[in-house]
Amino acid sequence: MAAVIDNATHPAFEKLRSHRIDTLNLDVEEYRHKKTGARHLHLAADNDENVFFVALRTFPMDSTGVAHVLEHTALCGSERYPVRDPFFMMIRRSLNTFMNAFTSSDWTAYPFASMNRKDFDNLLSVYLDSVFFSKLDPLDFAQEGHRLEFETPDDPSTDLVYKGVVYNEMKGAMSSATSQLWQNLSSHLFPTTTYHYNSGGEPDHIVDLSYDDLIRFYRHHYHPSNAIFATYGNIPAHEHHERFEELALKRFDKLDIELPVRDEKRMFAPVRVDQGYGVSEGEDMTNKTHIVVGWLLGHSFDLQENLEGQLLSAILLENSASPLMRALETTDIGQAPSPMCGLEDSNREMTFLCGVEGSEPEKQNDLEKLIESTLEKVAEEGVSEERLEAILHQLELHQREIAGDSFPYGLQLIMSAIAPMVHGGDPVELLDLEPVLATLREKIRDPEFIPGLIRRKLLDNPHRVTLTLRPDDKLDARRQQAIREALAKRKAELTSEEVGQIVDRAKALEERQMRKDDDSILPKVDLTDVPLQMPEPEARFDGDISATVFARGTNGLIYEQVVLPLPALTEEELSVLPYYSALISEVGCGDLDYLQMQDRISAESGGIGASFTAKGRIDDVQDLSGYMIFSGKALARNRTVLTKLLRDVYTSARFDEKDRIREIVAQIRARREQAVTGSGHALAMGAAAQGMSPGAWLSFRLGGLAGIRGTKELDQSLKDPAALDAFCRQLASLHGRIREQAREFLIIGEEEQLPALIDDLKFCWQGDTGVDSSRWKMEPVSFATREAWLTSTQVNFCARAYSTVPVDHPDAAALSVLGGFLRNGYLHRAIREKGGAYGGGAAQDSVNGNFRFFSYRDPRLAETLEDFDKALVWLQETDHEYQELEESILGVIGQMDRPRSPAGAARHAFHNNLFGRSPEQRARFRERVLSVTLDDLKRVAATWLVPEKASTAVVTGPDNRALVEGLGLNIQEL
């Protein structure tokens, strides 16, 4: 259905243009606010999930994180809503499907999404006031940015320490070697512009930011003349304009804002840089070096330049058959291609990056020669037209696909349009790729087109940086020592008046954090605004071939899954399963080797893959069942070849290309190790809950901390040819067991595509029904654990878990509400505001039958574990208001009703039913959530969350070894 066009225009705005994009089924409308010059991009679509986004161009010229600290502090109270924390308070009293704020390298944005019009209007009111009329209280700057405090806040005899949410967030973020790699490379590729600096803030520089600096930056940048508004959905543009004008814009005049927006000065010779990154003292530093080469390219907002950059990146790096990716995967210079490989097009000027990790510093020249010789070879030999057509096919598919399973689809479209709006390009061009794809199809017919691109953009481009980032096991100790000395010196120089000011500020901040604001001034939705039940996609069943079929508006794409129950597996086979799932789309198949298969997959589909899923029964988490799923998607015109592709991989994948398998395992290891500093809270929760059900144990063993350690051990062992031989035989044997299983199918597409799709399926799979063999089962799991996992991190991730109940147990609903209740009422204040962690909370996991507390990028450890226990005391001993309960119920319902993409909603419904999560069960759970009482919360906490029965796990740095041993935690080395 086409979007409804409303031609009314608000008198405060002028309409610049309207453009229909049929491939996205929407109309793009551009407006300008007459008085201030503020721009508005409206994507009119027939979608109830309306999105709002306002961005300010922010170009910091230092690494104090001023834009990032401001993003946090702006959301801590405003003129119309002078409460301490309107952002987090609105999260609790809203049915939003998305709420956040982002600091990019050259813009800061405040987006939200909601399917409820009243809720959308509420959030818009708070967001506009927060952005344009922020209070920016000095105490909020101290809390969110940084502050000096005594270790015991009211005792000046204790050491001075740095505290602050952004300070700790960036300590965690910059613990990652990948983050350091990008920041160091950017600083040399962009020596004179804003991209030279870390917009998030370097911890050592954040402490130099003053409150006056923050205020100056706000006044200069946060003005409608520097703002870009964007909206998506079925609310007409003129209705948005009415609200924008009334709530904010009418109070402003035009302001000429000078910002340092310019192109980088070009270098005339390549630069080589050698820098260190911190690893744990005494850690083996063999094969821990990253070497990356980066080039500066043209403007990201020039559509031709952008698409040529994407084309170049795909030709060289799209998959293992791409020449540069193949060279990086197969070389012994490093253990795996760098995670930085590819095109970065979010800045004003694009960068192209490639390199390796798991190398040694002295191999820098070897890598440069390998990259140059590979590029020379491609420039000399060219690229086949078939390969180029496959890449254009991927660009078309990517543009057509309606995403939105993890991030609102409208927000994804807006994010792709924001870079050209910031830098003066045309957002419509980047959304409507059809014309430029047609132009590119013409250009690639010239055999010299691609060789010319490679020479011009890379081989003959001297603005190139080679960065060698080597491990240094003394770096963190030197940094910590420098901080301690600087703080000791600072303390020695304090006057008695300054000592008093530090103590008084700490006291004032705590009083502010403990103060209960009058939140009645904030708008809200309540339980009467909650729909009784969200509609579910309707399926039909084709018994001839056991196919569940969904007709959905997929914008010309089709989706297929082959689903089969896992056969009975040995412990050894189970441990191989994650590698089997990852490898099956990366190896050869039938007569084709893995390189030919990579080309085939790219030409015929939008990607295929395999995954393993396991859940307990709705009434018994100890009774686990599991399924193997082979998935693929394609443009509808490729439905027949997709069906055959999936069938071929399912039946004929082969595991005899040993070098290839060895390479992929090394890449899996690298990806898993990098995930620790970004997902430490989830990994800690998984470790704490490992003994509470088979599903929790399996998650920990295969995908959690134990799985990461197991991957490191496997990668090391496969250097032995005999071990590699045995591993390949295991994979082949497992594949033989899996492909014999009886199977069913999931088919998703538009109504008119489905009959032919089902016919293809029946023809392709005729006569092959598989056998119902004995199904995989696991023994019950029940044990407590107390563990500390040590890795290179400057911050901590803490978790505590309790064994609870499955989803259909009457207490599951109250436990689900309890998670939000504890976070909102106690944990957010104790762990984030007072403790300085980036985040903390609690949640019930009814799939695996446990309740978990967690903290994220946390400067504290023992104190946070104490706060988990204190939250339960607070629950029982405090008189609570009904509104707090209502807010937590809204949070659970909002999560249940979160919209998905058309295909994602169908997949979700199918897999729910696969594990007994029927519509009736989900309706039952929803009714229970809506009827939870405060007494229920206290009762389920007293019943299930008994501190003596808790399991605990933390992810921390080696410096805390003595501390965690003192807490009685068993040390685990990652």
Side-chain angles (χ1 to χ4, degrees):
M1 187 187 299
V4 176
I5 302 299
D6 190 321
N7 289 315
T9 302
H10 191 278
F13 284 80
E14 59 179 328
K15 189 170 189 175
L16 303 180
R17 65 169 163 172
S18 181
H19 180 87
R20 176 72 184 166
I21 304 180
D22 287 321
T23 52
L24 299 179
N25 205 21
L26 56 79
D27 292 271
V28 183
E29 301 168 19
E30 270 196 281
Y31 299 88
R32 182 188 291 118
H33 186 245
K34 293 175 183 176
K35 194 162 69 152
T36 65
R39 298 164 68 195
H40 176 213
L41 183 76
H42 179 58
L43 308 181
D46 184 33
N47 193 328
D48 290 335
E49 188 180 27
N50 283 279
V51 178
F52 169 81
F53 176 102
V54 60
L56 296 309
R57 297 183 303 155
T58 47
F59 296 84
M61 292 303 287
D62 58 39
S63 291
T64 61
V66 58
H68 187 191
V69 174
L70 180 54
E71 172 226 306
H72 280 242
T73 315
L75 295 169
C76 290
S78 64
E79 179 182 287
R80 191 175 177 189
Y81 304 109
V83 290
R84 182 172 52 84
D85 197 359
F87 177 76
F88 283 98
M89 291 166 86
M90 285 304 295
I91 285 178
R92 302 165 194 168
R93 50 205 293 131
S94 162
L95 286 167
N96 73 84
T97 56
F98 184 89
M99 264 182 83
N100 212 333
F102 309 136
T103 304
S104 181
S105 55
D106 50 23
W107 49 262
T108 304
Y110 298 84
F112 69 81
S114 181
M115 298 181 73
N116 180 292
R117 179 62 191 266
K118 176 182 175 183
D119 188 42
F120 184 93
D121 288 344
N122 290 349
L123 290 168
L124 183 64
S125 173
V126 173
Y127 264 62
L128 288 175
D129 212 59
S130 295
V131 170
F132 294 111
F133 310 108
S134 186
K135 282 288 187 191
L136 301 181
D137 190 292
L139 288 175
D140 292 326
F141 169 71
Q143 173 186 286
E144 295 297 315
H146 71 91
R147 65 189 182 276
L148 274 177
E149 219 169 77
F150 294 107
E151 200 155 32
T152 303
D154 59 355
D155 183 358
S157 69
T158 59
D159 290 341
L160 272 180
V161 293
Y162 289 123
K163 292 186 177 180
V165 172
V166 170
Y167 177 72
N168 287 310
E169 177 191 352
M170 295 311 295
K171 275 177 73 176
M174 298 313 292
S175 293
S176 156
T178 308
S179 297
Q180 294 178 53
L181 197 62
W182 169 245
Q183 199 53 51
N184 281 317
L185 194 66
S186 293
S187 71
H188 291 94
L189 279 168
F190 296 97
T192 69
T193 59
T194 186
Y195 310 110
H196 177 78
Y197 303 99
N198 185 341
S199 61
E202 291 285 347
D204 296 343
H205 293 247
I206 289 171
V207 297
D208 297 329
L209 178 67
S210 73
Y211 175 70
D212 288 341
D213 294 334
L214 185 89
I215 295 297
R216 275 193 296 272
F217 196 86
Y218 177 76
R219 288 176 178 158
H220 188 63
H221 292 80
Y222 278 49
H223 187 281
S225 298
N226 189 42
I228 297 164
F229 294 85
T231 49
Y232 168 90
N234 59 12
I235 299 174
H238 73 88
E239 292 185 27
H240 290 307
H241 294 158
E242 190 173 337
R243 303 269 295 158
F244 296 169
E245 178 72 2
E246 183 59 32
L247 293 170
L249 298 184
K250 69 180 183 182
R251 292 176 54 183
F252 291 91
D253 294 314
K254 186 169 179 59
L255 188 67
D256 291 325
I257 297 174
E258 287 296 318
L259 291 174
V261 189
R262 55 182 171 76
D263 291 346
E264 184 53 71
K265 298 285 187 188
R266 285 312 195 257
M267 302 188 304
F268 301 108
V271 171
R272 292 179 181 84
V273 182
D274 185 275
Q275 289 180 301
Y277 74 97
V279 295
S280 304
E281 195 157 0
E283 183 177 327
D284 180 13
M285 292 189 286
T286 309
N287 294 329
K288 293 278 178 67
T289 294
H290 300 251
I291 310 175
V292 176
V293 182
W295 286 263
L296 190 61
L297 306 184
H299 289 144
S300 60
F301 54 89
D302 180 316
L303 184 62
Q304 202 64 43
E305 288 272 346
N306 191 299
L307 266 290
E308 286 178 357
Q310 290 190 45
L311 188 64
L312 195 62
S313 181
I315 287 165
L316 296 172
L317 294 168
E318 183 192 37
N319 58 39
S320 298
S322 306
L324 188 52
M325 182 59 77
R326 184 183 179 191
L328 298 173
E329 285 183 345
T330 56
T331 182
D332 58 6
I333 293 171
Q335 294 184 324
S338 171
M340 307 299 295
C341 287
L343 182 76
E344 168 54 54
D345 64 350
S346 63
N347 293 338
R348 177 179 174 83
E349 295 173 283
M350 299 178 289
T351 46
F352 178 81
L353 312 168
C354 59
V356 294
E357 60 186 359
S359 186
E360 298 293 348
E362 62 272 14
K363 293 184 177 179
Q364 181 195 77
N365 285 341
D366 294 340
L367 180 69
E368 286 185 335
K369 286 174 184 171
L370 174 70
I371 292 169
E372 285 171 5
S373 64
T374 304
L375 294 176
E376 287 282 6
K377 187 177 180 188
V378 180
E380 285 170 15
E381 297 178 359
V383 180
S384 73
E385 200 166 325
E386 293 79 16
R387 179 79 194 105
L388 294 173
E389 279 293 346
I391 290 167
L392 292 182
H393 157 250
Q394 290 296 321
L395 289 174
E396 179 188 355
L397 190 145
H398 179 71
Q399 192 223 9
R400 274 187 172 275
E401 183 168 23
I402 301 173
D405 290 323
S406 57
F407 206 63
Y409 176 56
L411 183 54
Q412 291 182 35
L413 293 175
I414 289 169
M415 294 281 279
S416 67
I418 189 66
M421 293 194 76
V422 166
H423 298 295
D426 184 349
V428 172
E429 282 189 338
L430 268 171
L431 289 169
D432 189 4
L433 289 183
E434 288 290 305
V436 78
L437 286 176
T439 304
L440 277 180
R441 281 201 168 88
E442 288 297 316
K443 286 187 173 183
I444 62 175
R445 291 178 181 167
D446 177 0
E448 284 303 309
F449 176 62
I450 298 303
L453 275 186
I454 290 172
R455 289 195 181 94
R456 188 171 74 252
K457 293 184 181 295
L458 301 178
L459 286 170
D460 299 338
N461 178 0
H463 196 113
R464 184 181 91 189
V465 174
T466 302
L467 172 64
T468 302
L469 194 68
R470 51 181 169 68
D472 182 342
D473 69 344
K474 302 289 191 293
L475 181 63
D476 285 341
R478 289 195 298 270
R479 179 182 288 122
Q480 294 309 315
Q481 180 63 24
I483 292 171
R484 281 192 294 269
E485 288 175 0
L487 287 170
K489 183 171 183 288
R490 181 88 171 83
K491 183 180 177 184
E493 294 170 348
L494 289 175
T495 64
S496 56
E497 184 182 0
E498 288 171 328
V499 168
Q501 288 171 350
I502 291 172
V503 172
D504 289 346
R505 183 179 60 196
K507 183 181 178 187
L509 180 57
E510 181 171 23
E511 287 173 355
R512 180 170 166 79
Q513 289 164 341
M514 298 303 292
R515 185 182 78 208
K516 180 151 180 62
D517 285 325
D518 175 15
D519 59 7
S520 65
I521 62 172
L522 285 165
K524 71 183 186 98
V525 294
D526 54 39
L527 295 182
T528 60
D529 297 302
V530 173
L532 292 176
Q533 190 69 36
M534 293 297 284
E536 299 216 8
E538 291 184 15
R540 52 184 189 263
F541 189 72
D542 190 304
D544 291 347
I545 194 170
S546 294
T548 303
V549 183
F550 288 88
R552 305 286 288 164
T554 56
N555 203 21
L557 270 73
I558 50 112
Y559 301 81
E560 287 187 27
Q561 287 189 345
V562 185
V563 181
L564 52 127
L566 272 185
L569 298 176
T570 65
E571 186 71 26
E572 200 172 29
E573 286 174 323
L574 191 62
S575 69
V576 172
L577 200 56
Y579 307 105
Y580 170 80
S581 302
L583 281 160
I584 194 145
S585 60
E586 299 284 350
V587 296
C589 177
D591 295 331
L592 301 182
D593 64 22
Y594 80 89
L595 295 169
Q596 293 166 313
M597 273 304 290
Q598 294 287 296
D599 276 342
R600 181 182 171 191
I601 291 167
S602 178
E604 297 179 354
S605 75
I608 61 166
S611 58
F612 157 66
T613 180
K615 288 181 182 175
R617 290 206 327 255
I618 61 171
D619 57 353
D620 184 2
V621 294
Q622 298 290 346
D623 186 2
L624 201 67
S625 58
Y627 291 84
M628 199 74 207
I629 298 141
F630 294 82
S631 305
K633 64 185 177 186
L635 293 169
R637 65 174 183 260
N638 288 336
R639 65 171 194 276
T640 306
V641 289
L642 174 67
T643 301
K644 189 167 188 323
L645 177 63
L646 273 179
R647 167 70 197 265
D648 288 350
V649 169
Y650 177 91
T651 56
S652 308
R654 39 182 253 244
F655 297 91
D656 56 352
E657 296 165 299
K658 295 172 189 172
D659 289 345
R660 171 62 171 171
I661 287 168
R662 170 85 188 83
E663 289 158 13
I664 297 296
V665 171
Q667 292 175 35
I668 293 170
R669 170 187 176 164
R671 283 198 303 270
R672 285 188 158 191
E673 286 184 307
Q674 286 150 15
V676 176
T677 50
S679 306
H681 61 311
L683 293 167
M685 285 190 281
Q690 62 180 285
M692 296 177 180
S693 68
W697 183 89
L698 197 67
S699 176
F700 168 73
R701 177 70 189 81
L702 300 186
L705 288 163
I708 295 171
R709 185 165 64 185
T711 301
K712 291 171 71 172
E713 292 166 355
L714 175 66
D715 181 45
Q716 193 63 31
S717 74
L718 294 185
K719 292 173 181 174
D720 175 5
L724 179 57
D725 217 29
F727 182 64
C728 292
R729 285 198 303 273
Q730 279 181 305
L731 290 165
S733 170
L734 180 60
H735 183 59
R737 301 273 318 283
I738 285 172
R739 70 183 176 196
E740 292 171 356
Q741 290 293 95
R743 65 198 70 88
E744 58 182 303
F745 300 91
L746 169 63
I747 303 297
I748 307 164
E750 287 165 325
E751 184 66 62
E752 61 270 22
Q753 304 289 347
L754 292 174
L757 194 51
I758 295 166
D759 288 344
D760 286 342
L761 204 65
K762 290 176 180 176
F763 177 78
C764 195
W765 291 87
Q766 62 186 328
D768 185 0
T769 57
V771 293
D772 267 320
S773 63
S774 58
R775 295 195 175 191
W776 168 73
K777 290 286 180 188
M778 275 184 68
E779 292 298 312
V781 173
S782 180
F783 61 86
T785 187
R786 293 181 61 80
E787 292 180 351
W789 289 76
L790 303 186
T791 188
S792 294
T793 175
Q794 297 180 51
V795 288
N796 308 302
F797 305 89
C798 305
R800 183 158 280 165
Y802 297 85
S803 183
T804 57
V805 298
V807 69
D808 209 34
H809 188 285
D811 286 352
L815 284 162
S816 297
V817 174
L818 179 61
F821 192 86
L822 293 174
R823 181 195 67 228
N824 298 347
Y826 189 88
L827 296 169
H828 176 76
R829 182 178 66 248
I831 292 173
R832 190 182 193 276
E833 294 182 348
K834 296 175 71 175
Y838 185 45
Q844 161 73 0
D845 173 10
S846 293
V847 171
N848 294 308
N850 57 69
F851 187 95
R852 297 96 54 94
F853 291 86
F854 71 92
S855 72
Y856 182 64
R857 293 182 177 167
D858 191 345
R860 306 183 308 157
L861 203 155
E863 302 91 334
T864 293
L865 296 175
E866 287 176 17
D867 280 334
F868 294 158
D869 293 340
K870 288 178 182 176
L872 297 175
V873 175
W874 167 84
L875 173 71
Q876 301 294 350
E877 295 184 356
T878 306
D879 290 330
H880 304 290
E881 297 176 6
Y882 173 75
Q883 181 184 311
E884 299 168 53
L885 172 68
E886 184 179 56
E887 289 171 355
S888 301
I889 291 173
L890 282 172
V892 176
I893 295 295
Q895 192 60 30
M896 290 175 66
D897 290 351
R898 185 172 60 86
R900 292 176 168 82
S901 69
R907 277 193 299 268
H908 187 68
F910 173 82
H911 288 281
N912 268 335
N913 286 323
L914 200 61
F915 288 102
R917 274 79 173 160
S918 65
E920 294 75 23
Q921 177 269 319
R922 293 199 291 283
R924 192 161 59 239
F925 180 77
R926 187 188 190 90
E927 287 169 14
R928 287 171 176 166
V929 167
L930 290 168
S931 62
V932 167
T933 66
L934 287 166
D935 287 342
D936 288 334
L937 298 187
K938 293 188 175 185
R939 176 183 57 77
V940 296
T943 304
W944 301 105
L945 311 186
V946 180
E948 295 73 32
K949 295 182 179 180
S951 285
T952 301
V954 300
V955 175
T956 187
D959 289 351
N960 283 330
R961 181 183 291 269
L963 170 62
V964 294
E965 283 177 341
L967 292 171
L969 302 180
N970 300 314
I971 301 290
Q972 301 286 337
E973 301 281 356
L974 192 56

